């Protein structure tokens, strides 16, 4: 039997062969043709849709819809992953545009079913839903959109215009920003770097290099700030035109909340609690300034290590460490994480043109998800590996569900990823003997909590303000000024913020690609703090409950899933509990004698 130690894990490009052999392959062309045929067959069901449709006919239609979704997801994932591995590749750009147009056309041809289902009487829906099994919640959630659904003709126009409108703008933003290179002088040598390579220096021990890295980052983004800002303004206007003017959502954020199946009140409570706890991280930054022997932190310094033990973690060592951390919790999740490597679904190299950052993309339930990293050997790179593998594990545990219900709802989507990071930190603290490295890990935990909670919440608060400002006719410079005010509110007098950070917002892909996505990170991190405390208190008894949350996927409403796990996210006290945990961690750090 092969063991983990028998396998060599090296940084490689991923393989997309489990989807399609190549962009111009006959298999890919056949998929387009097959999908067209499946939809043509589906269109014949329109005449069957009436109040008294039989359960058998209804289930037959759902099965056909699942086939369409499965093959469509394969095509969409292939194009998106091919583009992500090289955003400058014209073949990938062309295929992505073709797939988006094709999928929009097919969506319009199948739209009649969704519209019929939303408009069906409550009595008829109640008769049909229980027979749908795994799809029952999916069908129920669709009906929540009824007040915001337009006529079939209007919905078709929106789908078609999105391809050459909002989707094209998002692809343009990605193509522009992923071609950026950055120049910085290190030890007398000028280096030309990708964004991922540059960001290594913002977590380094050299304060001058930290400042230089951030200055270069926002110099490059700032040079295009007006153009990128105009793209953002157009995306915001598009969102308002559709979600407020046409669909009549209460606020721009309400549209995202409905997709997440969260009441506005729950999200408002989360944001309010986070806003009222700005002092927690300000206290932390004052402590960190003392450790760094600075009167006050600069924004350049918030991720600085408190010790000069800039330990490197070779890729293979990082992979094995993550597997060990997962195995200590449950061998099953370590085995699932290894599948990503062994099936060549991981792209961990740093390359020009490759999409920056990291993500996990689950194409269809029966295939292991694909994970993109830009691994460079730092502790935070290893934490990112654990995070993205957590997403993959989440998808694989839910793979027994339908293609329509396996993806976790967004508020729960960060659960396994953040939990995986905490397992890794615990593992590192147990095995690390160097006190400087251990101390750095403890500080890094709070650094990461800041990045995942407070930073993301203030992005969401900026989005909320920016959407209203654009509606009122604000210029790009006025948006940049509002962002600076947002930073000053967040940091208070604990952190000095230099003027180039006024362009930070144009460097955040999420606010361009998925409006109001970012609060899910804070939701997930604070939720995981609660779950992790339960794990520490209960040990083995906790694990089945946690794995059940993950294996549920998107087959139940998030509030119901959490309620079954004993969590009430409607109460401010629940969210405050997460901040109380962070405060306790900071107090523990304050008790460590300064060196």
């Amino acid at each position: 039997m092969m063991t983990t130690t028998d396998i060599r894990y090296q940084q490689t490009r991923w393989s997309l062969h489990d989807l399609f052999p190549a962009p111009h392959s006959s298999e890919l062309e056949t998929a387009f043709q097959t999908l067209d045929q499946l939809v043509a067959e589906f269109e014949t069901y329109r005449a069957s849709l009436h109040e008294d449709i039989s359960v058998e006919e209804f289930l037959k239609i759902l099965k056909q819809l699942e086939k369409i979704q499965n093959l469509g997801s394969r095509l969409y994932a292939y194009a998106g992953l091919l583009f992500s591995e090289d955003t400058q590749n014209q073949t990938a750009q062309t295929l992505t545009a073709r797939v988006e147009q094709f999928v929009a056309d097919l969506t319009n041809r199948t739209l009649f079913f969704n519209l019929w289902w939303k408009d069906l009487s409550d009595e008829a829906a109640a008769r049909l839903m229980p027979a749908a099994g795994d799809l029952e919640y999916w069908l129920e959630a669709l009906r929540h959109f009824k007040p915001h659904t337009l006529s079939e003709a209007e919905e078709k126009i929106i789908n078609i215009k999105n391809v050459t409108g909002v989707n094209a703008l998002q692809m343009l933003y990605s193509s522009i920003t992923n071609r950026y290179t950055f120049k910085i002088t290190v030890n007398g040598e000028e280096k030309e770097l990708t964004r991922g390579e540059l960001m290594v220096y913002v977590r380094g021990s050299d304060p001058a290099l930290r400042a230089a890295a951030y200055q270069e980052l926002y110099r490059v983004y700032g040079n295009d700030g007006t153009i990128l800002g105009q793209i953002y303004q157009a995306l915001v206007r598009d969102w308002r035109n559709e979600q407020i003017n046409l669909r009549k959502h209460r606020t721009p954020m309400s549209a995202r909340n409905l997709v997440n199946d969260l009441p506005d009140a729950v999200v408002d409570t989360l944001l309010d609690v986070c806003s009222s706890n700005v002092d927690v991280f300000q206290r932390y930054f004052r402590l960190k300034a003392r450790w760094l022997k600075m009167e006050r932190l600069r924004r350049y310094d918030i991720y600085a290590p408190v010790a000069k033990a800039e330990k490197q973690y070779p890729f293979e060592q990082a992979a094995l460490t993550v597997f060990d951390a997962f195995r200590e919790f449950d061998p099953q999740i370590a085995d699932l994480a290894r599948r990503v490597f062994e099936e060549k679904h991981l792209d961990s190299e740093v390359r020009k043109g490759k999409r920056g950052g990291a993500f996990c993309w689950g194409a269809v339930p029966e295939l292991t998800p694909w994970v993109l990293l830009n691994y460079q050997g730092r502790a935070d790179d290893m934490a990112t590996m654990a995070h993205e593998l957590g997403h993959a594990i989440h998808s694989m545990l839910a793979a027994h569900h339908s293609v329509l219900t396996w993806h976790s709802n967004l508020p729960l989507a960060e659960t396994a990823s953040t939990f995986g990071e905490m397992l890794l930190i615990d593992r590192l603290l147990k095995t690390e003997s160097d006190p400087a490295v251990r101390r750095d890990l403890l500080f890094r935990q709070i650094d990461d909590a800041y990045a995942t909670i407070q930073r993301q919440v203030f992005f969401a608060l900026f989005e909320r303000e920016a959407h209203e400002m654009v509606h009122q006719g604000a210029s790009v410079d006025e948006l940049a000024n509002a962002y600076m005010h947002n930073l000053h509110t967040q940091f208070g007098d604990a952190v000095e913020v230099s003027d180039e950070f006024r362009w930070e917002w144009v460097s955040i892909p999420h606010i361009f690609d998925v409006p109001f996505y970012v609060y899910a990170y804070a939701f997930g991190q604070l939720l995981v703090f609660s779950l992790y405390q339960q794990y520490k208190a209960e040990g083995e008894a906790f694990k089945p409950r946690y794995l059940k949350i993950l294996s549920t996927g998107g087959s139940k409403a998030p509030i119901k899933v959490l309620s079954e796990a004993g969590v009430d996210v409607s109460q401010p006290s629940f969210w405050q509990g997460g901040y109380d945990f962070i405060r306790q961690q900071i107090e523990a750090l304050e008790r460590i004698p300064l060196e």
Side-chain angles (χ1 to χ4, degrees):
M1 178 179 173
M2 183 175 284
T3 65
T4 301
T5 52
D6 296 324
I7 304 168
R8 300 288 298 176
Y9 294 102
Q10 297 177 333
Q11 285 187 259
T12 57
R13 200 175 186 127
W14 55 31
S15 167
L16 302 180
H17 277 71
D18 287 343
L19 288 167
F20 295 100
H24 300 296
S25 62
S26 59
E27 290 88 344
L28 188 69
E29 291 306 314
T30 299
F32 278 104
Q33 295 164 17
T34 302
L35 196 49
D36 184 64
Q37 291 164 6
L38 288 170
V39 172
E41 184 180 338
F42 189 84
E43 287 175 295
T44 67
Y45 296 143
R46 185 190 280 261
S48 305
L49 299 178
H50 49 76
E51 192 85 2
D52 300 321
I53 187 173
S54 71
V55 168
E56 293 73 22
E57 183 70 9
F58 182 65
L59 294 181
K60 179 182 174 184
I61 292 171
L62 289 180
K63 285 292 179 190
Q64 187 75 357
L65 194 59
E66 286 179 300
K67 288 181 187 176
I68 292 167
Q69 181 67 41
N70 190 292
L71 188 51
S73 293
R74 285 171 178 261
L75 274 174
Y76 194 79
Y78 182 72
L81 293 168
L82 194 69
F83 176 70
S84 296
E85 70 178 42
D86 184 0
T87 62
Q88 308 308 301
N89 181 332
Q90 291 190 22
T91 298
Q93 292 171 353
T94 304
L95 179 62
T96 299
R98 178 189 176 190
V99 167
E100 287 184 346
Q101 181 67 60
F102 186 71
V103 169
D105 291 343
L106 297 189
T107 300
N108 278 352
R109 290 166 60 188
T110 60
L111 184 62
F112 65 88
F113 173 79
N114 279 19
L115 297 178
W116 168 78
W117 175 251
K118 292 174 191 175
D119 204 40
L120 196 63
S121 71
D122 290 342
E123 294 75 18
R127 176 176 63 84
L128 295 168
M129 276 197 293
D134 193 49
L135 296 184
E136 184 173 1
Y137 168 64
W138 179 77
L139 289 166
E140 177 193 324
L142 268 182
R143 290 175 64 82
H144 297 168
F145 289 83
K146 181 177 179 177
H148 309 287
T149 299
L150 308 175
S151 70
E152 185 170 356
E154 289 170 311
E155 293 286 358
K156 285 182 174 180
I157 290 169
I158 288 172
N159 287 337
I160 291 169
K161 290 298 288 180
N162 278 350
V163 175
T164 51
V166 60
N167 296 357
L169 282 171
Q170 288 165 340
M171 188 171 177
L172 180 64
Y173 171 82
S174 185
S175 295
I176 290 172
T177 56
N178 283 299
R179 69 181 169 86
Y180 288 160
T181 57
F182 306 87
K183 293 180 179 178
I184 188 172
T185 301
V186 181
N187 296 327
E189 177 190 352
E190 185 176 79
K191 295 177 176 284
E192 186 174 11
L193 307 170
T194 64
R195 178 174 177 172
E197 290 169 327
L198 179 75
M199 296 312 284
V200 167
Y201 294 102
V202 309
R203 288 180 180 258
S205 61
D206 185 331
L209 274 179
R210 291 196 297 266
Y214 272 123
Q215 289 162 2
E216 175 65 2
L217 177 69
Y218 297 126
R219 180 191 68 79
V220 172
Y221 273 93
N223 283 345
D224 283 346
T226 302
I227 295 169
L228 300 178
Q230 287 171 2
I231 292 174
Y232 182 70
Q233 287 173 317
L235 292 169
V236 167
R237 290 188 190 105
D238 178 89
W239 185 264
R240 188 175 194 93
N241 285 340
E242 179 179 341
Q243 305 300 344
I244 302 293
N245 298 344
L246 295 177
R247 299 194 184 279
K248 308 303 181 186
H249 285 285
R250 187 174 66 86
T251 69
M253 191 180 282
S254 297
R256 176 65 56 207
N257 297 344
L258 184 60
V259 172
N260 293 343
D261 200 5
L262 287 176
D264 285 356
V266 167
V267 178
D268 289 343
T269 298
L270 165 66
L271 298 179
D272 288 346
V273 171
C274 293
S275 298
S276 66
N277 278 274
V278 289
D279 64 303
V280 173
F281 286 104
Q282 289 173 7
R283 174 178 176 177
Y284 171 67
F285 292 133
R286 291 188 184 96
L287 169 66
K288 197 166 188 178
R290 293 197 295 273
W291 272 94
L292 294 173
K293 297 179 172 55
M294 303 174 72
E295 185 174 333
R296 183 164 67 138
L297 284 190
R298 306 167 300 171
R299 174 58 184 80
Y300 309 132
D301 307 313
I302 62 173
Y303 300 120
V306 295
K308 292 190 178 180
E310 294 178 32
K311 186 170 181 177
Q312 288 287 309
Y313 297 88
F315 183 77
E316 182 173 38
Q317 179 190 341
L320 296 175
T321 303
V322 170
F323 297 155
D324 286 344
F326 288 176
R327 186 181 301 102
E328 194 171 334
F329 178 78
D330 188 290
Q332 177 189 7
I333 68 169
D335 292 342
L336 292 173
R338 281 207 310 274
R339 262 174 52 184
V340 177
F341 288 73
E342 291 161 10
E343 295 184 17
K344 298 181 179 177
H345 285 202
L346 177 73
D347 190 324
S348 55
E349 296 176 343
V350 177
R351 301 187 301 273
K352 287 182 181 178
K354 177 182 172 182
R355 177 172 163 171
F359 66 72
C360 172
W361 191 321
V364 288
E366 60 269 25
L367 292 180
T368 297
W370 277 262
V371 169
L372 180 141
L373 303 173
N374 284 274
Y375 189 84
Q376 295 177 83
R378 303 294 297 272
D380 55 298
D381 291 319
M382 183 163 49
T384 299
M385 180 189 291
H387 183 100
E388 300 304 336
L389 289 174
H391 281 306
I393 290 161
H394 198 163
S395 292
M396 289 185 272
L397 285 172
H400 56 288
H401 292 293
S402 161
V403 68
L404 298 171
T405 60
W406 72 300
H407 269 306
S408 172
N409 193 292
L410 188 58
L412 298 183
E414 298 299 329
T415 308
S417 53
T418 307
F419 199 91
E421 285 192 70
M422 295 190 75
L423 290 172
L424 173 66
I425 293 293
D426 265 8
R427 173 75 183 180
L428 291 172
L429 288 171
K430 284 178 185 174
T431 57
E432 182 56 64
S433 57
D434 185 334
V437 176
R438 284 178 57 80
R439 188 169 61 245
D440 205 34
L441 287 168
L442 290 168
F443 273 88
R444 190 177 296 277
Q445 248 188 318
I446 310 299
D447 289 347
D448 292 344
Y450 160 74
T452 311
I453 299 171
Q454 209 72 355
R455 185 168 187 254
Q456 303 301 329
V457 161
F458 272 82
F459 284 157
L461 294 173
F462 169 71
E463 280 189 273
R464 192 161 67 181
E465 181 182 13
H467 276 246
E468 181 58 30
M469 287 180 67
V470 170
H471 174 56
Q472 298 296 336
S475 67
V476 172
D477 277 341
E478 287 170 331
L479 291 173
N481 292 338
Y483 186 74
M484 282 297 284
H485 180 72
N486 173 286
L487 290 177
H488 288 307
T489 302
Q490 181 184 166
F491 292 121
D493 62 2
V495 177
E496 177 190 336
V497 182
S498 300
D499 190 59
E500 66 268 15
F501 284 91
R502 69 198 313 270
W503 294 116
E504 182 177 26
W505 60 283
V506 300
S507 76
I508 310 300
H510 274 323
I511 71 171
F512 285 78
D513 293 341
V514 192
F516 304 105
Y517 178 103
V518 289
Y519 74 71
Y521 287 109
F523 192 112
Q525 178 77 70
L526 291 169
L527 170 62
V528 166
F529 280 157
S530 171
L531 294 174
Y532 210 76
Q533 292 304 100
Q534 291 178 34
Y535 166 49
K536 290 295 190 182
E538 300 173 26
E540 289 296 321
F542 165 82
K543 294 178 183 179
R545 189 164 71 252
Y546 172 70
L547 294 174
K548 183 182 177 183
I549 291 174
L550 301 189
S551 64
T552 301
S555 64
K556 286 184 182 179
I559 288 188
K560 184 175 182 182
V561 174
L562 294 175
S563 178
E564 291 174 356
V567 173
D568 184 357
V569 294
S570 68
Q571 296 301 313
S573 58
F574 168 73
W575 302 112
Q576 186 59 48
Y579 276 94
D580 293 344
F581 171 75
I582 297 166
R583 198 183 299 272
Q584 290 164 14
Q585 300 293 94
I586 294 169
E587 288 170 354
L589 289 174
E590 287 173 335
R591 289 193 291 270
I592 299 174
L594 286 169
E595 291 184 351

